[in-house]
Amino acid sequence: MLTVQEITYFHPDKELLFENISFSLKKQDKVALIGNNGAGKSTLLKVIAGILPPAKGVIRSESKPYYIPQHFGQYNNISVAQALQIDNKLNALHAILQGDVSDKNLAQLNDDWTIEERSIAALTYWNLSDLPLTQKMDQLSGGEKTKVFLAGILIHQPEIVLLDEPTNHLDTHSRQVLYNFITTFSNSLIVVSHDRVLLELLNSIYELDKHGITVYGGNYSFYKEQKGIAENALFQQLEEKEKALRKAKKAERESLERKQRQDVRGKGKHEKEGVARIFMKTLKNNAELSSAKLKDVHSEKIESISSELKQVHQKLPDSRKMKMNFQNSSLHTGKILITAQDINFGYSNKTLWNKGLNFQIRSGERICIKGKNGSGKTTLIRILLGEIVPACGVLSRAEIKSVYIDQDYSLISDKLTVYEQAQQYNYDALPEYEVKIRLNRYLFSKDFWDKPCNKLSGGEKMRLVLCCLMIGNHAPDLFVLDEPTNNLDIQSIEILTSAINEYTGTLLVVSHDNYFLNEVNVNQTLEIE
């Protein structure tokens, strides 16, 4: 049905993104395309869709794939009907119904007399029943734009669908509709996603990296199991190489010590026998040469093992190389941090929520704020952080230190380099080498220190935020995350998850990612309407 053969792609600046990518898609295959940020997943989808030309290679497909992008800015100036590529048919249909039965209109409609009814039904399926087909796309939210394009699947019934991060802008209810749709969809899919709930529904995982594509013939759980087996094998190799290195260094030390004792005994014996001084000097030179050769033999073996050890370490996923030491809150568990009594927010006598919110937040709790898109989750966070005040009701807030991380990682200044950003949190005046050691722990090697922060990916910004908090020895009482996984690849989500699970203070998180919420042990929900 679809064959991708030896595809290579270069960035416009001639930098190689990936090369010799090959795989095939059969009818009813449902494939996840995963990989770290920057691996080229979205680009590969665009190449398959025919939007970008490959530098070399061939795409063969029995039918044109239907492509749903991750970003929709290019559609802002057109209508919903135009975005769905049904505007010409609709215009022809309306003209015919008004009496203009021209050959042009009939050819344009191509006997698709139900196009308008099908389009309205498709939008209704995605809870967009009130959306006119003439509506401009720039007046829609990100989630609504996504659902418009998802409706196109029902309208056009394509045999192959390409989805790029389809759940990024969807709320919990809309995600569930998408999960149900994918489960019952009978044609072929390639999905780029970091949504682990969605990945569980697909029957193959294709992992893209600089070496090519690795195929795992199962869903995300199967993929994780296989990766775990491979990682455990790497750790076993690592342990064996470290053991061999310790043994080689011990053997070198013992061998040299034994040689030194032999040389000392030999020298004493020759002195006692009255051997001539010139011969003694020759013996000394021979002993030193022998020691040097012995040391070279051991050094060569140690260097060989060290090189093998480095190669194994480089194969470890970045999340397993990191050394985290995340600080914790000093507040005792159960202390009341925030009390809200009938709080609401609004403008011009119009309130945001149907009724006032009543709740308490105590130290040590892990709480998720849930609500549909546009329900005011971020507004509630700003109230809780003291940035804005409620229009009515009473909010009591203890003296607490809080850290707020939004999905754009605004704590990071795009005007600074990575090292300069780290120095912003160097409250204890750590020497330069100490700051750089901490950067290394968070996988910011020497190559990153002078890199502008605006060149970092979402995952790199997230790591830099965590690193800055560690450098500043900042132990927040309240850790607030607003849609933290939206712009992260799976590996970065795992790093964030590990950091949060090391933290024992209070966690408040806005997220539609139920897999993530379970992994960070969220045990309470604050629902807003």
XYZ file of all heavy atoms in Angstrom, residues 330-415:
666
model
N 10.910 21.861 52.548
C 11.165 21.597 53.967
C 9.872 21.636 54.788
O 9.901 21.410 55.996
C 12.153 22.638 54.525
O 11.632 23.946 54.347
N 8.721 21.918 54.137
C 7.457 21.991 54.871
C 7.003 20.604 55.305
O 7.177 19.622 54.582
C 6.369 22.617 53.996
C 6.549 24.085 53.595
C 5.373 24.519 52.733
C 6.664 24.968 54.830
N 6.389 20.536 56.487
C 5.892 19.245 56.949
C 4.642 18.867 56.149
O 3.853 19.726 55.727
C 5.584 19.275 58.447
C 4.453 20.199 58.822
N 3.127 19.851 58.687
C 4.458 21.461 59.330
C 2.352 20.844 59.090
N 3.137 21.843 59.486
N 4.459 17.582 55.929
C 3.333 17.086 55.145
C 2.014 17.428 55.833
O 1.875 17.265 57.042
C 3.444 15.555 54.965
O 4.672 15.266 54.315
C 2.290 15.013 54.133
N 1.071 17.914 55.034
C -0.258 18.220 55.568
C -0.488 19.670 55.921
O -1.622 20.070 56.212
N 0.545 20.501 55.882
C 0.379 21.924 56.170
C -0.523 22.560 55.109
O -0.341 22.336 53.916
C 1.742 22.626 56.181
C 1.666 24.149 56.370
C 3.051 24.772 56.350
C 2.984 26.294 56.284
N 2.392 26.880 57.493
N -1.491 23.362 55.535
C -2.399 24.021 54.590
C -1.656 25.163 53.895
O -1.186 26.100 54.536
C -3.652 24.558 55.309
C -4.452 23.404 55.923
C -4.536 25.330 54.318
C -5.628 23.855 56.769
N -1.560 25.073 52.587
C -0.857 26.089 51.799
C -1.824 27.112 51.213
O -1.556 28.313 51.217
C -0.058 25.434 50.669
C 0.943 24.336 51.066
C 1.692 23.857 49.828
C 1.902 24.818 52.126
N -2.943 26.628 50.681
C -3.909 27.509 50.011
C -5.327 27.069 50.373
O -5.632 25.869 50.357
C -3.738 27.475 48.480
C -2.346 27.992 48.073
C -4.825 28.301 47.783
C -2.034 27.818 46.591
N -6.173 28.038 50.691
C -7.601 27.776 50.914
C -8.413 28.705 50.020
O -8.204 29.920 50.029
C -7.999 27.998 52.384
O -7.224 27.132 53.230
C -9.479 27.705 52.588
N -9.302 28.139 49.228
C -10.174 28.927 48.347
C -11.616 28.757 48.798
O -12.090 27.632 48.990
C -10.023 28.461 46.904
N -12.310 29.892 48.968
C -13.710 29.884 49.376
C -14.536 30.676 48.364
O -14.437 31.903 48.294
C -13.881 30.495 50.777
C -13.185 29.700 51.876
C -13.300 30.397 53.226
O -12.756 31.482 53.418
N -14.016 29.765 54.145
N -15.298 29.949 47.557
C -16.203 30.557 46.568
C -15.492 31.554 45.652
O -16.042 32.605 45.312
C -17.379 31.252 47.269
C -18.355 30.248 47.854
O -18.592 29.224 47.195
O -18.859 30.486 48.961
N -14.268 31.239 45.228
C -13.559 32.184 44.350
C -14.044 32.051 42.912
O -14.438 30.976 42.458
C -12.024 31.999 44.408
C -11.600 30.637 43.845
C -11.495 32.192 45.821
C -10.104 30.521 43.605
N -14.037 33.158 42.204
C -14.393 33.167 40.789
C -13.643 34.307 40.128
O -13.059 35.156 40.793
C -15.901 33.317 40.593
C -16.395 32.537 39.374
O -15.733 32.494 38.344
N -17.560 31.917 39.507
N -13.650 34.312 38.816
C -12.928 35.332 38.076
C -13.765 35.746 36.877
O -14.526 34.945 36.324
C -11.573 34.795 37.606
C -10.657 35.844 37.054
C -9.932 36.660 37.902
C -10.538 36.028 35.679
C -9.091 37.641 37.390
C -9.705 37.004 35.168
C -8.985 37.820 36.028
N -13.647 37.005 36.467
C -14.407 37.425 35.306
C -14.253 38.896 35.027
O -13.552 39.625 35.736
N -14.912 39.320 33.991
C -14.886 40.711 33.564
C -16.320 41.164 33.312
O -17.161 40.391 32.845
C -14.072 40.884 32.279
C -12.653 40.378 32.376
C -12.335 39.098 31.945
C -11.638 41.177 32.904
C -11.027 38.630 32.017
C -10.338 40.715 32.977
C -10.035 39.437 32.539
O -8.746 38.981 32.620
N -16.590 42.440 33.621
C -17.890 43.063 33.323
C -19.057 42.232 33.852
O -20.015 41.919 33.129
C -18.045 43.263 31.814
O -16.979 44.026 31.296
N -18.943 41.806 35.104
C -20.009 41.062 35.786
C -20.275 39.674 35.199
O -21.269 39.038 35.537
C -21.316 41.868 35.782
C -21.166 43.179 36.525
O -20.500 43.234 37.561
N -21.779 44.240 35.996
N -19.386 39.218 34.307
C -19.528 37.872 33.762
C -18.428 36.991 34.347
O -17.245 37.259 34.159
C -19.424 37.892 32.237
C -19.656 36.520 31.607
C -19.561 36.594 30.088
C -19.776 35.211 29.478
N -19.652 35.239 27.996
N -18.814 35.938 35.093
C -17.826 35.096 35.768
C -17.353 33.971 34.848
O -18.072 33.531 33.941
C -18.408 34.499 37.059
O -19.623 33.801 36.754
C -18.674 35.596 38.084
N -16.144 33.503 35.116
C -15.511 32.473 34.289
C -16.098 31.092 34.576
O -16.311 30.294 33.664
C -13.996 32.481 34.549
C -13.129 31.506 33.767
C -13.307 31.691 32.268
C -11.662 31.690 34.146
N -16.343 30.793 35.861
C -16.826 29.463 36.240
C -18.292 29.507 36.627
O -18.792 30.515 37.143
C -15.972 28.916 37.378
C -14.527 28.844 36.983
C -14.003 28.155 35.934
C -13.429 29.534 37.592
N -12.642 28.351 35.849
C -12.254 29.197 36.856
C -13.302 30.396 38.678
C -10.996 29.684 37.181
C -12.053 30.886 39.006
C -10.915 30.533 38.268
N -18.990 28.390 36.401
C -20.429 28.328 36.670
C -20.750 28.585 38.134
O -21.794 29.141 38.462
C -20.985 26.958 36.258
C -20.899 26.740 34.757
O -20.932 27.699 33.986
N -20.776 25.492 34.340
N -19.863 28.162 39.003
C -20.047 28.414 40.434
C -18.678 28.630 41.065
O -17.645 28.230 40.507
C -20.779 27.248 41.102
C -20.098 25.901 40.970
C -20.911 24.801 41.621
C -20.212 23.437 41.461
N -21.000 22.361 42.117
N -18.672 29.274 42.246
C -17.416 29.551 42.930
C -16.678 28.273 43.292
O -17.278 27.234 43.560
N -15.349 28.355 43.292
C -14.513 27.184 43.586
C -14.169 27.143 45.071
O -13.800 28.155 45.666
C -13.228 27.236 42.755
C -13.409 27.324 41.235
C -12.039 27.364 40.548
C -14.234 26.164 40.700
N -14.280 25.954 45.649
C -13.940 25.738 47.057
C -12.988 24.558 47.159
O -13.313 23.453 46.707
C -15.204 25.435 47.879
C -16.137 26.617 47.970
O -15.981 27.491 48.811
N -17.134 26.652 47.078
N -11.804 24.787 47.730
C -10.841 23.694 47.880
C -9.702 24.127 48.815
O -9.550 25.312 49.120
C -10.258 23.282 46.523
C -9.585 24.398 45.775
C -8.245 24.705 45.989
C -10.280 25.152 44.837
C -7.613 25.729 45.302
C -9.668 26.179 44.138
C -8.337 26.468 44.377
N -8.926 23.136 49.243
C -7.690 23.388 49.989
C -6.556 22.624 49.321
O -6.761 21.556 48.751
C -7.815 22.928 51.451
C -8.510 23.907 52.358
C -8.394 23.514 53.826
O -8.217 22.348 54.164
N -8.511 24.494 54.711
N -5.357 23.206 49.405
C -4.153 22.522 48.935
C -3.216 22.391 50.129
O -2.881 23.390 50.773
C -3.471 23.306 47.805
C -4.391 23.366 46.579
C -2.132 22.652 47.417
C -3.860 24.209 45.437
N -2.808 21.151 50.425
C -1.942 20.882 51.571
C -0.573 20.410 51.102
O -0.439 19.836 50.024
C -2.569 19.815 52.479
C -3.883 20.245 53.118
C -4.528 19.103 53.883
N -5.788 19.498 54.489
C -5.910 19.973 55.721
N -4.829 20.071 56.499
N -7.086 20.318 56.202
N 0.399 20.647 51.927
C 1.774 20.254 51.607
C 1.868 18.748 51.380
O 1.307 17.956 52.142
C 2.703 20.669 52.753
O 4.022 20.264 52.486
N 2.559 18.382 50.291
C 2.775 16.969 49.984
C 1.758 16.378 49.033
O 1.942 15.257 48.550
N 0.678 17.124 48.727
C -0.347 16.595 47.831
C 0.091 16.701 46.370
O 0.896 17.557 46.007
C -1.667 17.352 48.033
C -2.313 17.086 49.378
C -3.611 17.854 49.577
O -3.780 18.903 48.927
O -4.437 17.397 50.389
N -0.472 15.828 45.552
C -0.234 15.848 44.102
C -1.590 15.965 43.422
O -2.366 15.024 43.413
C 0.533 14.612 43.647
C 1.919 14.553 44.268
C 2.858 13.579 43.619
N 4.223 13.962 44.000
C 5.291 13.766 43.257
N 5.178 13.213 42.069
N 6.487 14.141 43.679
N -1.842 17.144 42.864
C -3.176 17.495 42.392
C -3.141 17.837 40.901
O -2.243 18.537 40.438
C -3.726 18.710 43.173
C -3.748 18.415 44.673
C -5.116 19.102 42.684
C -4.024 19.642 45.524
N -4.138 17.356 40.171
C -4.304 17.722 38.763
C -5.516 18.643 38.633
O -6.588 18.348 39.163
C -4.510 16.476 37.914
S -4.838 16.852 36.176
N -5.331 19.769 37.940
C -6.453 20.652 37.594
C -6.966 20.208 36.237
O -6.224 20.193 35.254
C -6.016 22.125 37.535
C -5.493 22.589 38.895
C -7.178 23.005 37.104
C -4.969 24.015 38.883
N -8.256 19.838 36.178
C -8.827 19.346 34.929
C -10.004 20.206 34.509
O -10.727 20.761 35.331
C -9.266 17.887 35.082
C -8.102 16.904 35.110
C -8.534 15.531 34.659
C -7.321 14.636 34.440
N -7.700 13.321 33.905
N -10.193 20.304 33.228
C -11.295 21.051 32.646
C -11.126 21.121 31.146
O -10.030 20.906 30.623
N -12.204 21.416 30.442
C -12.130 21.506 28.984
C -11.275 22.702 28.564
O -11.043 23.623 29.357
C -13.537 21.642 28.399
C -14.382 20.377 28.561
C -15.739 20.533 27.890
C -16.554 19.248 28.011
N -17.891 19.382 27.378
N -10.815 22.693 27.315
C -10.079 23.836 26.784
C -10.925 25.099 26.920
O -12.112 25.097 26.581
C -9.726 23.616 25.308
C -8.644 22.563 25.136
O -7.931 22.223 26.081
N -8.501 22.050 23.922
N -10.306 26.152 27.442
C -11.025 27.406 27.629
C -11.770 27.510 28.940
O -12.461 28.513 29.185
N -11.645 26.511 29.810
C -12.385 26.538 31.079
C -11.706 27.396 32.140
O -12.273 27.620 33.210
C -12.584 25.111 31.610
O -11.331 24.482 31.833
N -10.489 27.853 31.886
C -9.830 28.762 32.826
C -8.810 28.114 33.741
O -8.545 28.620 34.836
N -8.189 27.030 33.279
C -7.213 26.331 34.124
C -5.988 27.210 34.399
O -5.514 27.310 35.536
C -6.807 25.010 33.469
C -7.967 24.047 33.258
C -7.528 22.729 32.673
C -7.022 22.841 31.248
N -8.075 23.225 30.285
N -5.463 27.836 33.339
C -4.288 28.692 33.517
C -4.638 29.923 34.356
O -3.819 30.385 35.161
C -3.730 29.113 32.141
O -3.354 27.939 31.409
C -2.507 30.009 32.295
N -5.849 30.444 34.191
C -6.289 31.577 35.018
C -6.283 31.195 36.491
O -5.830 31.970 37.354
C -7.703 32.032 34.600
O -7.671 32.454 33.242
C -8.195 33.169 35.481
N -6.774 30.000 36.799
C -6.789 29.533 38.192
C -5.363 29.435 38.733
O -5.096 29.837 39.880
C -7.485 28.176 38.290
C -7.523 27.550 39.693
C -8.195 28.488 40.694
C -8.228 26.192 39.663
N -4.434 28.944 37.925
C -3.039 28.864 38.361
C -2.513 30.249 38.702
O -1.854 30.453 39.732
C -2.167 28.198 37.271
C -2.397 26.690 37.266
C -0.683 28.492 37.509
C -1.629 25.968 36.194
N -2.786 31.232 37.853
C -2.304 32.602 38.093
C -2.886 33.166 39.394
O -2.206 33.897 40.117
C -2.664 33.487 36.902
C -1.927 33.114 35.613
C -2.243 34.098 34.500
N -1.746 35.428 34.840
C -2.184 36.548 34.278
N -3.158 36.500 33.373
N -1.676 37.715 34.628
N -4.137 32.815 39.698
C -4.742 33.238 40.972
C -4.009 32.581 42.138
O -3.654 33.236 43.126
C -6.240 32.879 41.009
C -7.016 33.750 40.022
C -6.809 33.044 42.419
C -8.485 33.353 39.854
N -3.749 31.278 42.027
C -3.095 30.536 43.113
C -1.671 31.015 43.348
O -1.168 30.981 44.473
C -3.103 29.035 42.805
C -4.487 28.381 42.673
C -4.356 26.893 42.372
C -5.321 28.605 43.925
N -1.014 31.487 42.278
C 0.359 31.986 42.410
C 0.397 33.448 42.859
O 1.487 33.998 43.077
C 1.097 31.837 41.079
C 1.375 30.403 40.607
C 1.981 30.396 39.214
C 2.293 29.676 41.591
N -0.767 34.075 42.981
C -0.812 35.462 43.437
C -0.564 36.485 42.345
O -0.367 37.665 42.633
N -0.581 36.057 41.076
C -0.350 36.994 39.969
C -1.574 37.861 39.696
O -1.440 39.006 39.275
C 0.032 36.213 38.707
C 1.359 35.476 38.814
C 1.685 34.704 37.541
O 0.921 34.845 36.556
O 2.693 33.974 37.527
N -2.752 37.299 39.895
C -3.999 38.055 39.771
C -4.881 37.695 40.957
O -4.654 36.676 41.630
C -4.737 37.744 38.438
C -4.987 36.244 38.289
C -3.962 38.270 37.253
C -5.780 35.873 37.034
N -5.899 38.514 41.215
C -6.777 38.253 42.370
C -8.148 37.839 41.855
O -8.581 38.268 40.777
C -6.901 39.503 43.269
C -5.567 39.848 43.881
C -7.462 40.686 42.486
N -8.853 36.998 42.603
C -10.192 36.599 42.170
C -11.155 37.779 42.207
O -10.983 38.711 43.004
C -10.579 35.522 43.192
C -9.712 35.755 44.375
C -8.442 36.346 43.855
N -12.163 37.724 41.340
C -13.158 38.795 41.300
C -14.079 38.734 42.506
O -14.613 39.757 42.943
C -13.970 38.689 40.009
N -14.256 37.534 43.039
C -15.074 37.374 44.238
C -14.597 36.155 45.011
O -13.834 35.335 44.502
C -16.552 37.242 43.868
S -16.910 35.883 42.745
N -15.055 36.039 46.248
C -14.618 34.958 47.112
C -13.359 35.319 47.870
O -12.823 36.433 47.749
N -12.878 34.375 48.665
C -11.717 34.609 49.529
C -10.647 33.562 49.226
O -10.939 32.361 49.196
C -12.101 34.548 51.022
C -10.868 34.747 51.906
C -13.159 35.585 51.341
N -9.417 34.027 49.022
C -8.279 33.121 48.826
C -7.246 33.385 49.904
O -6.742 34.505 50.037
C -7.648 33.340 47.447
C -6.501 32.371 47.118
C -7.053 31.020 46.690
C -5.605 32.931 46.023
N -6.937 32.375 50.701
C -5.905 32.480 51.736
C -4.686 31.695 51.272
O -4.813 30.534 50.851
C -6.417 31.913 53.065
O -7.604 32.562 53.457
N -3.533 32.332 51.386
C -2.309 31.702 50.864
C -1.188 31.863 51.885
O -0.868 32.968 52.301
C -1.927 32.372 49.536
C -0.844 31.694 48.741
C -0.744 32.355 47.363
N 0.252 31.730 46.523
C 1.535 32.070 46.497
N 1.958 33.064 47.271
N 2.378 31.455 45.709
N -0.595 30.747 52.300
C 0.518 30.785 53.235
C 1.759 31.327 52.532
O 1.827 31.384 51.301
C 0.792 29.388 53.792
N 2.767 31.716 53.327
C 4.042 32.161 52.755
C 4.774 30.938 52.208
O 5.306 30.136 52.980
C 4.889 32.866 53.815
C 4.409 34.267 54.169
C 4.558 35.231 52.997
O 5.553 35.099 52.253
O 3.672 36.081 52.806
N 4.763 30.800 50.912
C 5.394 29.622 50.302
C 6.236 30.045 49.110
O 5.993 31.062 48.480
C 4.346 28.578 49.832
C 3.323 29.217 48.887
C 3.680 27.906 51.010
C 2.335 28.239 48.278
N 7.247 29.220 48.844
C 8.053 29.397 47.634
C 7.476 28.494 46.549
O 7.206 27.315 46.799
C 9.512 29.022 47.904
C 10.238 29.987 48.826
C 11.697 29.589 49.000
C 11.853 28.329 49.826
N 13.273 27.998 50.083
N 7.277 29.050 45.364
C 6.696 28.252 44.287
C 7.527 28.397 43.018
O 8.187 29.411 42.796
C 5.245 28.673 44.020
O 5.184 30.036 43.654
N 7.473 27.370 42.206
C 8.096 27.394 40.875
C 7.016 27.028 39.865
O 6.325 26.015 40.021
C 9.262 26.388 40.781
C 9.698 26.213 39.327
C 10.433 26.854 41.617
N 6.862 27.883 38.856
C 5.845 27.672 37.820
C 6.549 27.407 36.495
O 7.325 28.226 36.016
C 4.948 28.910 37.716
C 3.969 28.883 36.568
C 3.148 27.779 36.346
C 3.850 29.974 35.708
C 2.244 27.762 35.297
C 2.936 29.971 34.650
C 2.139 28.858 34.454
O 1.247 28.838 33.416
N 6.279 26.254 35.921
C 6.849 25.900 34.621
C 5.704 25.748 33.627
O 4.882 24.841 33.747
C 7.667 24.595 34.696
C 8.805 24.735 35.713
C 8.226 24.228 33.323
C 9.642 23.483 35.869
N 5.647 26.674 32.660
C 4.606 26.583 31.639
C 5.115 25.776 30.448
O 6.282 25.381 30.397
C 4.130 27.974 31.213
C 5.254 28.819 30.606
O 6.309 28.252 30.259
O 5.083 30.045 30.493
N 4.227 25.544 29.479
C 4.607 24.672 28.356
C 5.614 25.320 27.422
O 6.217 24.642 26.586
C 3.368 24.235 27.586
C 2.535 25.358 27.037
C 1.243 24.856 26.435
O 1.259 24.068 25.493
N 0.121 25.295 26.960
N 5.830 26.643 27.557
C 6.828 27.335 26.737
C 8.143 27.549 27.490
O 9.075 28.157 26.955
C 6.280 28.683 26.272
C 5.065 28.537 25.378
O 5.078 27.632 24.525
O 4.098 29.307 25.552
N 8.218 27.079 28.739
C 9.429 27.203 29.566
C 9.915 28.647 29.633
O 11.049 28.967 29.310
C 10.521 26.249 29.060
C 10.033 24.831 29.052
C 9.580 24.236 27.883
C 9.934 24.108 30.230
C 9.057 22.952 27.883
C 9.415 22.820 30.235
C 8.986 22.248 29.075
O 8.455 20.989 29.085
N 9.000 29.522 30.065
C 9.276 30.961 30.093
C 10.321 31.348 31.131
O 10.802 32.489 31.118
C 7.975 31.731 30.356
O 7.018 31.433 29.364
N 10.672 30.429 32.034
C 11.759 30.706 32.979
C 13.095 30.880 32.251
O 14.027 31.477 32.778
C 11.895 29.569 34.002
C 10.800 29.456 35.075
C 11.068 28.243 35.952
C 10.730 30.710 35.922
N 13.168 30.341 31.042
C 14.386 30.427 30.243
C 14.348 31.690 29.388
O 13.371 31.952 28.692
C 14.533 29.189 29.326
C 14.539 27.893 30.153
C 15.793 29.294 28.478
C 15.682 27.764 31.107
N 15.418 32.474 29.435
C 15.502 33.686 28.627
C 16.163 33.377 27.293
O 17.309 32.908 27.242
C 16.309 34.765 29.361
O 16.558 35.861 28.509
N 15.448 33.641 26.212
C 15.978 33.369 24.874
C 17.159 34.267 24.527
O 17.892 33.995 23.573
C 14.879 33.543 23.827
C 13.893 32.379 23.832
O 14.232 31.319 24.400
O 12.792 32.528 23.284
N 17.356 35.341 25.292
C 18.447 36.278 25.014
C 19.790 35.784 25.564
O 20.845 36.332 25.232
C 18.131 37.648 25.618
C 16.902 38.318 25.033
C 16.615 39.640 25.715
C 15.354 40.299 25.154
N 15.050 41.574 25.863
